[in-house]
Amino acid sequence: MEIHLKIWRQKNQESKGALKNYTLTEVNPAMSFLEMLDMLNLKLAKKGEQPVEFGHDCREGICGQCGMMINGIAHGPLKNTTTCQLHMRTFKDGDTIYIEPFRAKAFPVIRDLKVDRTGLDAIIAAGGYIAVNTGQAPEANSIPVTHYEAENAFDAAACIGCGACVASCKNASAALFTASKISHFANLPQGKKESAQRTVKMVNRMEELEFGHCTNTEACQVECPQDISVLHIGRMNYEYNKAKLKKKKKL
């Protein structure tokens, strides 16, 4: 396959970036998208040019490091698929592919396609944990959890923190990411005790980091590689309002 690439190149956050043109003439349809970029980088390295910087780690659709915009879509055209699990057979011989970094004020460009997504880590650090006594784990069946609650918790916990929800939202909102972390704990008995404190801290931290507000366009769920439901945002709003009302009553 012959593939024409228009890739965003940017030295750092302060530099002005631009799309650069590249052509690969021997792309195997069985290659993953990242393997195609590896092929390009090998070609550039042999010519003494700077390889294209992009994030990756597991290449198994688990770590969430490979996020990029492909033809204007987070992770590319296939639904519920990460960039590393996207294969070149999805494209046609002679296609032109536009590749850009995730665009969001809270995701500054490090270089080329790689952005700083540590803002998501900061949201988790604000409250995405539970305070428990260490030691031997309790018997699994000693804490009853309904099937409905367990499924909702598992759905929320499937978030890989890739940032596609932020990149696909017109407001660059991290509502789906934050909601998935809050809902994960709120659905389980171990997380209910600190739910109010956790929710307020995480939502406040999200706003401090200048992520945008959710306006319910639901683009985040459409582009989420794990298809995490926007209903978790409703759960986050419920937990947040409940926490605020509880605090107001105490005053």
Side-chain angles (χ1 to χ4, degrees), residues 41-51:
N41 280 343
L42 181 60
K43 179 180 177 182
L44 293 176
K46 286 181 177 179
K47 292 168 63 176
E49 298 180 23
Q50 179 70 38

Side-chain angles (χ1 to χ4, degrees), residues 43-147:
K43 179 180 177 182
L44 293 176
K46 286 181 177 179
K47 292 168 63 176
E49 298 180 23
Q50 179 70 38
V52 176
E53 186 90 13
F54 61 92
H56 66 95
D57 190 4
C58 73
R59 300 202 177 200
E60 295 179 348
I62 299 171
C63 72
Q65 297 297 311
C66 62
M68 59 186 74
M69 301 299 287
I70 302 170
N71 288 342
I73 302 172
H75 290 297
L78 292 188
K79 187 173 174 58
N80 306 142
T81 305
T82 55
T83 301
C84 62
Q85 296 293 287
L86 180 68
H87 287 79
M88 296 310 297
R89 57 178 171 267
T90 306
F91 304 94
K92 298 177 182 178
D93 184 32
D95 273 358
T96 297
I97 305 173
Y98 288 78
I99 313 173
E100 301 170 85
F102 281 172
R103 304 286 187 182
K105 186 176 182 179
F107 288 168
V109 173
I110 296 175
R111 190 185 188 102
D112 298 334
L113 306 175
K114 190 172 181 62
V115 298
D116 183 352
R117 295 180 295 111
T118 53
L120 300 182
D121 297 327
I123 293 173
I124 294 177
Y129 51 85
I130 59 173
V132 296
N133 293 325
T134 58
Q136 186 174 353
E139 164 59 40
N141 294 321
S142 65
I143 304 176
V145 180
T146 67
H147 177 76

Side-chain angles (χ1 to χ4, degrees), residues 171-182:
N171 305 321
S173 171
L176 187 63
F177 168 82
T178 307
S180 70
K181 303 306 176 184
I182 289 171

Side-chain angles (χ1 to χ4, degrees), residues 91-242:
F91 304 94
K92 298 177 182 178
D93 184 32
D95 273 358
T96 297
I97 305 173
Y98 288 78
I99 313 173
E100 301 170 85
F102 281 172
R103 304 286 187 182
K105 186 176 182 179
F107 288 168
V109 173
I110 296 175
R111 190 185 188 102
D112 298 334
L113 306 175
K114 190 172 181 62
V115 298
D116 183 352
R117 295 180 295 111
T118 53
L120 300 182
D121 297 327
I123 293 173
I124 294 177
Y129 51 85
I130 59 173
V132 296
N133 293 325
T134 58
Q136 186 174 353
E139 164 59 40
N141 294 321
S142 65
I143 304 176
V145 180
T146 67
H147 177 76
Y148 175 78
E149 289 175 321
E151 287 300 312
N152 274 340
F154 276 124
D155 178 63
C159 173
I160 59 176
C162 66
C165 53
V166 178
S168 59
C169 176
K170 65 179 182 180
N171 305 321
S173 171
L176 187 63
F177 168 82
T178 307
S180 70
K181 303 306 176 184
I182 289 171
S183 185
H184 171 202
F185 289 115
N187 275 288
L188 297 175
Q190 297 91 334
K192 282 184 167 63
K193 185 176 180 180
E194 297 168 298
S195 183
Q197 178 183 344
R198 175 187 306 110
T199 303
V200 171
K201 283 185 175 181
M202 293 181 74
V203 171
N204 288 347
R205 188 66 177 132
M206 175 178 65
E207 293 180 349
E208 288 169 5
L209 293 166
E210 298 186 90
F211 286 98
H213 291 282
C214 173
T215 50
N216 299 311
T217 62
E218 301 184 13
C220 51
Q221 181 176 340
V222 173
E223 304 302 340
C224 175
Q226 300 294 341
D227 194 27
I228 293 174
S229 174
V230 292
L231 292 177
H232 292 296
I233 297 178
R235 180 61 185 261
M236 175 180 71
N237 292 338
Y238 166 75
E239 295 291 339
Y240 185 82
N241 290 330
K242 185 173 69 172

